[in-house]
mmCIF file of all heavy atoms in Angstrom:
data_model
loop_
_atom_site.group_PDB
_atom_site.id
_atom_site.type_symbol
_atom_site.label_atom_id
_atom_site.label_comp_id
_atom_site.label_asym_id
_atom_site.label_seq_id
_atom_site.Cartn_x
_atom_site.Cartn_y
_atom_site.Cartn_z
ATOM 1 N N ARG A 473 93.268 108.109 103.876
ATOM 2 C CA ARG A 473 92.922 109.551 103.753
ATOM 3 C C ARG A 473 93.539 110.263 104.962
ATOM 4 O O ARG A 473 92.847 110.780 105.840
ATOM 5 C CB ARG A 473 91.389 109.691 103.731
ATOM 6 C CG ARG A 473 90.724 108.935 102.568
ATOM 7 C CD ARG A 473 90.384 109.857 101.454
ATOM 8 N NE ARG A 473 89.411 110.842 101.888
ATOM 9 C CZ ARG A 473 88.090 110.623 101.984
ATOM 10 N NH1 ARG A 473 87.597 109.436 101.665
ATOM 11 N NH2 ARG A 473 87.291 111.548 102.411
ATOM 12 N N TYR A 474 94.864 110.266 104.976
ATOM 13 C CA TYR A 474 95.575 110.688 106.174
ATOM 14 C C TYR A 474 95.428 112.200 106.448
ATOM 15 O O TYR A 474 95.359 112.608 107.599
ATOM 16 C CB TYR A 474 97.066 110.329 106.065
ATOM 17 C CG TYR A 474 97.312 108.862 105.901
ATOM 18 C CD1 TYR A 474 98.092 108.380 104.842
ATOM 19 C CD2 TYR A 474 96.765 107.939 106.786
ATOM 20 C CE1 TYR A 474 98.326 107.006 104.710
ATOM 21 C CE2 TYR A 474 96.985 106.590 106.640
ATOM 22 C CZ TYR A 474 97.764 106.129 105.608
ATOM 23 O OH TYR A 474 97.992 104.784 105.465
ATOM 24 N N LYS A 475 95.382 113.015 105.414
ATOM 25 C CA LYS A 475 95.285 114.464 105.624
ATOM 26 C C LYS A 475 93.970 114.826 106.340
ATOM 27 O O LYS A 475 93.962 115.597 107.283
ATOM 28 C CB LYS A 475 95.375 115.207 104.296
ATOM 29 C CG LYS A 475 95.213 116.706 104.437
ATOM 30 C CD LYS A 475 95.272 117.414 103.100
ATOM 31 C CE LYS A 475 94.964 118.909 103.232
ATOM 32 N NZ LYS A 475 93.552 119.171 103.561
ATOM 33 N N HIS A 476 92.866 114.267 105.864
ATOM 34 C CA HIS A 476 91.577 114.574 106.488
ATOM 35 C C HIS A 476 91.518 114.001 107.892
ATOM 36 O O HIS A 476 90.945 114.625 108.808
ATOM 37 C CB HIS A 476 90.445 114.022 105.628
ATOM 38 C CG HIS A 476 90.253 114.799 104.353
ATOM 39 N ND1 HIS A 476 89.878 114.199 103.177
ATOM 40 C CD2 HIS A 476 90.400 116.116 104.081
ATOM 41 C CE1 HIS A 476 89.808 115.136 102.227
ATOM 42 N NE2 HIS A 476 90.097 116.315 102.766
ATOM 43 N N ALA A 477 92.091 112.819 108.105
ATOM 44 C CA ALA A 477 92.122 112.223 109.442
ATOM 45 C C ALA A 477 92.902 113.132 110.381
ATOM 46 O O ALA A 477 92.494 113.366 111.550
ATOM 47 C CB ALA A 477 92.742 110.836 109.410
ATOM 48 N N LEU A 478 94.019 113.683 109.905
ATOM 49 C CA LEU A 478 94.831 114.568 110.714
ATOM 50 C C LEU A 478 94.051 115.853 111.043
ATOM 51 O O LEU A 478 94.110 116.363 112.169
ATOM 52 C CB LEU A 478 96.127 114.918 109.986
ATOM 53 C CG LEU A 478 97.050 115.932 110.659
ATOM 54 C CD1 LEU A 478 97.466 115.454 112.049
ATOM 55 C CD2 LEU A 478 98.283 116.190 109.797
ATOM 56 N N GLU A 479 93.307 116.371 110.083
ATOM 57 C CA GLU A 479 92.535 117.598 110.335
ATOM 58 C C GLU A 479 91.486 117.380 111.397
ATOM 59 O O GLU A 479 91.216 118.267 112.217
ATOM 60 C CB GLU A 479 91.900 118.042 109.027
ATOM 61 C CG GLU A 479 92.883 118.655 108.033
ATOM 62 C CD GLU A 479 92.283 118.930 106.669
ATOM 63 O OE1 GLU A 479 91.135 118.503 106.407
ATOM 64 O OE2 GLU A 479 92.969 119.572 105.872
ATOM 65 N N VAL A 480 90.879 116.188 111.430
ATOM 66 C CA VAL A 480 89.900 115.870 112.481
ATOM 67 C C VAL A 480 90.590 115.843 113.838
ATOM 68 O O VAL A 480 90.082 116.398 114.823
ATOM 69 C CB VAL A 480 89.196 114.517 112.203
ATOM 70 C CG1 VAL A 480 88.263 114.152 113.360
ATOM 71 C CG2 VAL A 480 88.433 114.556 110.886
ATOM 72 N N CYS A 481 91.781 115.207 113.898
ATOM 73 C CA CYS A 481 92.527 115.164 115.163
ATOM 74 C C CYS A 481 92.905 116.558 115.633
ATOM 75 O O CYS A 481 92.784 116.876 116.813
ATOM 76 C CB CYS A 481 93.805 114.324 114.983
ATOM 77 S SG CYS A 481 93.497 112.550 114.814
ATOM 78 N N GLU A 482 93.348 117.390 114.694
ATOM 79 C CA GLU A 482 93.760 118.753 115.065
ATOM 80 C C GLU A 482 92.524 119.562 115.538
ATOM 81 O O GLU A 482 92.664 120.377 116.475
ATOM 82 C CB GLU A 482 94.405 119.439 113.854
ATOM 83 C CG GLU A 482 95.782 118.847 113.548
ATOM 84 C CD GLU A 482 96.410 119.432 112.308
ATOM 85 O OE1 GLU A 482 95.672 119.891 111.418
ATOM 86 O OE2 GLU A 482 97.658 119.412 112.227
ATOM 87 N N TRP A 483 91.390 119.335 114.936
ATOM 88 C CA TRP A 483 90.183 120.038 115.372
ATOM 89 C C TRP A 483 89.858 119.639 116.818
ATOM 90 O O TRP A 483 89.490 120.481 117.650
ATOM 91 C CB TRP A 483 89.019 119.722 114.447
ATOM 92 C CG TRP A 483 87.760 120.495 114.796
ATOM 93 C CD1 TRP A 483 87.397 121.729 114.351
ATOM 94 C CD2 TRP A 483 86.711 120.056 115.688
ATOM 95 N NE1 TRP A 483 86.211 122.116 114.910
ATOM 96 C CE2 TRP A 483 85.759 121.111 115.736
ATOM 97 C CE3 TRP A 483 86.500 118.911 116.433
ATOM 98 C CZ2 TRP A 483 84.606 121.020 116.507
ATOM 99 C CZ3 TRP A 483 85.339 118.814 117.211
ATOM 100 C CH2 TRP A 483 84.407 119.865 117.236
ATOM 101 N N MET A 484 89.988 118.347 117.118
ATOM 102 C CA MET A 484 89.679 117.868 118.482
ATOM 103 C C MET A 484 90.579 118.495 119.533
ATOM 104 O O MET A 484 90.158 118.788 120.646
ATOM 105 C CB MET A 484 89.763 116.342 118.552
ATOM 106 C CG MET A 484 88.599 115.632 117.883
ATOM 107 S SD MET A 484 88.463 113.883 118.386
ATOM 108 C CE MET A 484 89.847 113.173 117.515
ATOM 109 N N THR A 485 91.869 118.699 119.199
ATOM 110 C CA THR A 485 92.811 119.272 120.186
ATOM 111 C C THR A 485 92.447 120.698 120.547
ATOM 112 O O THR A 485 92.848 121.193 121.606
ATOM 113 C CB THR A 485 94.250 119.256 119.652
ATOM 114 O OG1 THR A 485 94.337 120.051 118.453
ATOM 115 C CG2 THR A 485 94.706 117.829 119.359
ATOM 116 N N LEU A 486 91.676 121.381 119.713
ATOM 117 C CA LEU A 486 91.288 122.759 119.963
ATOM 118 C C LEU A 486 90.006 122.896 120.767
ATOM 119 O O LEU A 486 89.601 124.021 121.120
ATOM 120 C CB LEU A 486 91.142 123.525 118.630
ATOM 121 C CG LEU A 486 92.417 123.587 117.747
ATOM 122 C CD1 LEU A 486 92.078 124.246 116.415
ATOM 123 C CD2 LEU A 486 93.503 124.352 118.473
ATOM 124 N N GLN A 487 89.334 121.789 121.040
ATOM 125 C CA GLN A 487 88.051 121.816 121.735
ATOM 126 C C GLN A 487 88.244 121.581 123.221
ATOM 127 O O GLN A 487 88.736 120.522 123.632
ATOM 128 C CB GLN A 487 87.104 120.761 121.141
ATOM 129 C CG GLN A 487 86.988 120.789 119.634
ATOM 130 C CD GLN A 487 86.740 122.157 119.081
ATOM 131 O OE1 GLN A 487 85.793 122.857 119.457
ATOM 132 N NE2 GLN A 487 87.578 122.575 118.114
ATOM 133 N N GLN A 488 87.889 122.556 124.032
ATOM 134 C CA GLN A 488 88.082 122.445 125.472
ATOM 135 C C GLN A 488 87.181 121.391 126.111
ATOM 136 O O GLN A 488 87.485 120.874 127.177
ATOM 137 C CB GLN A 488 87.817 123.805 126.134
ATOM 138 C CG GLN A 488 88.850 124.866 125.741
ATOM 139 C CD GLN A 488 88.628 126.199 126.454
ATOM 140 O OE1 GLN A 488 87.603 126.382 127.117
ATOM 141 N NE2 GLN A 488 89.576 127.106 126.327
ATOM 142 N N ASP A 489 86.056 121.080 125.468
ATOM 143 C CA ASP A 489 85.131 120.107 126.062
ATOM 144 C C ASP A 489 85.438 118.669 125.635
ATOM 145 O O ASP A 489 84.690 117.752 126.008
ATOM 146 C CB ASP A 489 83.693 120.460 125.678
ATOM 147 C CG ASP A 489 83.493 120.472 124.160
ATOM 148 O OD1 ASP A 489 84.483 120.671 123.441
ATOM 149 O OD2 ASP A 489 82.336 120.306 123.702
ATOM 150 N N ILE A 490 86.484 118.468 124.860
ATOM 151 C CA ILE A 490 86.883 117.087 124.486
ATOM 152 C C ILE A 490 88.151 116.725 125.242
ATOM 153 O O ILE A 490 89.181 117.369 125.095
ATOM 154 C CB ILE A 490 87.130 116.978 122.961
ATOM 155 C CG1 ILE A 490 85.817 117.173 122.207
ATOM 156 C CG2 ILE A 490 87.733 115.633 122.615
ATOM 157 C CD1 ILE A 490 85.942 117.060 120.691
#
Side-chain angles (χ1 to χ4, degrees):
R473 301 260 296 280
Y474 301 127
K475 177 182 175 290
H476 289 144
L478 176 58
E479 287 172 350
V480 175
C481 288
E482 289 176 334
W483 184 87
M484 285 197 287
T485 61
L486 299 175
Q487 311 311 306
Q488 293 183 350
D489 59 335
I490 293 181

